[in-house]
Amino acid sequence: MFKKLISLFFALSLILVQATFVAQAKSNEVTEEVVDQVAKEYLKRLKTTVEFEDKTNVIPFYDLDDNELGYYYQFENGEESFFMLLSSNTDYSPLFSAGSGEPDIKIIDDDGKYYYAGNVTLYKAESDTNVVDRINDALNKSSLMQKSVSKSNQLDKRELRIKKNSKSIDKWELFISDSKTTSRKDTSAVSTAAVKEDYIKGVEIMNQWGSGVDYPASSCGPTTLATIAEYWRSEESKSKIRGLDYYSEADMINHMWDTHGGTVLGMTTGKLRDAIKIHTNEHGGKYSVKTNSFNNFTTYKSEIRADRPLAIKFDDWFVFDDSWGDEYVYDYHWTTGVGYIEGDGDEIMYIHDSVGGVAYIDYVTHEDIVTMVSIDIN
């Protein structure tokens, strides 16, 4: 009898331990209702005309370990289309990315579910293994990437996991902490006193896929160069820099590609830095141009506050462009940094994407793949 009691006690203890472990594993997850409140708060702050009532779709997405990671929200109001990729796990930043239009959705399996590995791309697949295989297939077909990955030229799930953000709990606590007096369902009273933001005015939004661009699939670097050069000409009175007063938008992008180091595999950081110096003075200008490459959110903010847009490169092997076929990996994607939001766990870059839209990108999530180039012209 005593042995039976001991066995029963042991079995109950094991069940309790397992239950506690499961509860702890799930304690960092939040419900769709909580994510709704996060979406409402960000919509009040982001530069968009859509409202929460304009929501047309909410779809869960998963990480590459097949765990639920967050929700994809799509909004439409007749004037603007806008998307948000939001976390449902307090280990991660609440907002992964957001922007005009829709995210880049890669269809691997028609009947699959959505997976997220970073940036603004979702993969629709029947399994996480199919996503990893697709990424590696594209990776192995790129001679550029074969020089920079492991000897086996294969990435595994560990190398593709989303980066956790230890500061994110500061933002999540606005919605899930019992110590807060604010209701989880009432974000109107949420304090945003600690949140800071700044934006550069007057930066033209250009589009590498615009009519007349000769090499649109590889013109993100030239488009970023054209965007920044035109800003210094039109907004900072550097009138001897040739821009949209001389070229059409497409002609200016083509000039940057043809003359300043454009290639079908994209533009390197060094080429971009050299290009802005050459273009600035190639038509009689005598400007001093200082550039610097770095990866630091504090320095990024300083450049924004000084009204100096930055070239931002996402060196991201798992975002590739189907329009160029499976051989092309969208490895080097250049954008223009024009703003930021910071506070309550947020470190968000506001960028002009080179495809003609705008996007908000969580810095912590993408820190490992970001290169920032500051440009100062005097």
Side-chain angles (χ1 to χ4, degrees):
M1 181 66 178
F2 179 73
K3 289 183 177 179
K4 289 183 178 180
L5 288 173
I6 291 294
S7 299
L8 181 60
F9 176 77
F10 178 78
L12 288 171
S13 299
L14 184 61
I15 292 171
L16 287 172
V17 168
Q18 290 175 334
T20 301
F21 176 80
V22 171
Q24 289 176 341
K26 291 185 176 296
S27 63
N28 55 357
E29 298 177 3
V30 299
T31 65
E32 183 182 341
E33 289 73 22
V34 173
V35 181
D36 279 349
Q37 306 312 313
V38 177
K40 290 177 182 178
E41 189 209 339
Y42 278 113
L43 285 177
K44 294 175 183 177
R45 183 167 299 279
L46 306 185
K47 289 181 176 294
T48 176
T49 62
V50 302
E51 299 178 352
F52 189 76
E53 291 70 24
D54 299 321
K55 177 178 63 175
T56 58
N57 215 346
V58 179
I59 302 173
F61 57 80
Y62 299 81
D63 64 19
L64 295 182
D65 292 313
D66 228 353
N67 301 311
E68 183 183 292
L69 184 60
Y71 290 90
Y72 156 40
Y73 285 70
Q74 187 66 48
F75 303 89
E76 310 280 347
N77 66 2
E79 298 178 3
E80 182 183 8
S81 177
F82 195 81
F83 74 91
M84 303 176 76
L85 300 180
L86 296 168
S87 167
S88 61
N89 187 311
T90 60
D91 285 338
Y92 302 93
S93 301
L95 176 68
F96 290 132
S97 59
S100 55
E102 300 178 354
D104 186 20
I105 299 177
K106 307 298 186 187
I107 307 295
I108 300 174
D109 303 306
D110 289 335
D111 297 327
K113 59 185 181 182
Y114 288 88
Y115 291 88
Y116 183 63
N119 217 319
V120 294
T121 299
L122 291 171
Y123 295 92
K124 190 175 184 181
E126 292 180 353
S127 71
D128 52 357
T129 301
N130 289 0
V131 177
V132 175
D133 288 346
R134 173 69 178 269
I135 292 169
N136 280 313
D137 284 345
L139 182 64
N140 285 331
K141 291 175 182 177
S142 168
S143 59
L144 175 66
M145 287 308 302
Q146 287 175 1
K147 298 176 182 178
S148 59
V149 298
S150 62
K151 292 181 180 179
S152 65
N153 291 327
Q154 293 288 302
L155 297 170
D156 59 29
K157 293 177 184 179
R158 291 173 298 175
E159 296 170 287
L160 295 171
R161 284 175 179 155
I162 296 297
K163 188 173 184 178
K164 294 182 179 180
N165 181 3
S166 61
K167 299 178 182 178
S168 65
I169 194 63
D170 293 338
K171 173 64 89 174
W172 284 111
E173 280 185 348
L174 296 174
F175 304 95
I176 63 177
S177 174
D178 291 335
S179 64
K180 300 292 181 181
T181 57
T182 302
S183 166
R184 297 183 191 179
K185 295 186 177 181
D186 179 16
T187 58
S188 63
V190 172
S191 171
T192 56
V195 175
K196 298 179 181 178
E197 56 187 312
D198 202 356
Y199 301 93
I200 302 173
K201 297 179 180 179
V203 182
E204 186 89 10
I205 297 178
M206 297 191 183
N207 186 355
Q208 71 188 82
W209 292 95
S211 176
V213 177
D214 292 336
Y215 306 101
S218 57
S219 286
C220 55
T223 302
T224 299
L225 279 170
T227 300
I228 293 175
E230 173 59 19
Y231 168 82
W232 282 95
R233 183 198 71 81
S234 62
E235 300 296 323
E236 297 293 338
S237 301
K238 303 298 187 287
S239 58
K240 290 190 177 181
I241 300 175
R242 280 191 173 174
L244 297 182
D245 60 327
Y246 181 84
Y247 301 101
S248 68
E249 180 179 311
D251 287 340
M252 189 175 184
I253 293 170
N254 291 337
H255 172 76
M256 294 296 188
W257 201 101
D258 293 333
T259 309
H260 298 311
T263 73
V264 294
L265 292 176
M267 182 174 286
T268 66
T269 301
K271 283 289 187 182
L272 184 137
R273 292 177 64 176
D274 290 342
I276 193 65
K277 294 176 182 178
I278 295 170
H279 178 79
T280 298
N281 291 304
E282 67 184 344
H283 296 294
K286 295 182 179 180
Y287 301 114
S288 171
V289 183
K290 295 180 181 179
T291 67
N292 186 35
S293 302
F294 60 95
N295 184 358
N296 182 279
F297 192 72
T298 299
T299 307
Y300 172 81
K301 292 186 300 177
S302 297
E303 292 299 304
I304 297 298
R305 290 196 296 268
D307 289 330
R308 295 191 290 261
L310 302 92
I312 308 293
K313 183 182 76 172
F314 294 90
D315 186 356
D316 189 356
W317 53 75
F318 46 79
V319 176
F320 50 94
D321 194 327
D322 285 340
S323 66
W324 251 52
D326 289 340
E327 288 75 18
Y328 183 69
V329 177
Y330 208 67
D331 176 48
Y332 289 94
H333 187 47
W334 286 99
T335 65
T336 306
V338 295
Y340 68 86
I341 298 176
E342 179 191 39
D344 288 335
D346 278 333
E347 290 183 344
I348 298 172
M349 298 179 292
Y350 178 66
I351 63 171
H352 285 184
D353 198 350
S354 299
V355 297
V358 300
Y360 291 86
I361 304 291
D362 177 61
Y363 172 72
V364 174
T365 301
H366 301 89
E367 179 179 5
D368 295 339
I369 62 171
V370 165
T371 300
M372 302 169 172
V373 178
S374 61
I375 297 167
D376 189 7
I377 303 176
N378 292 292

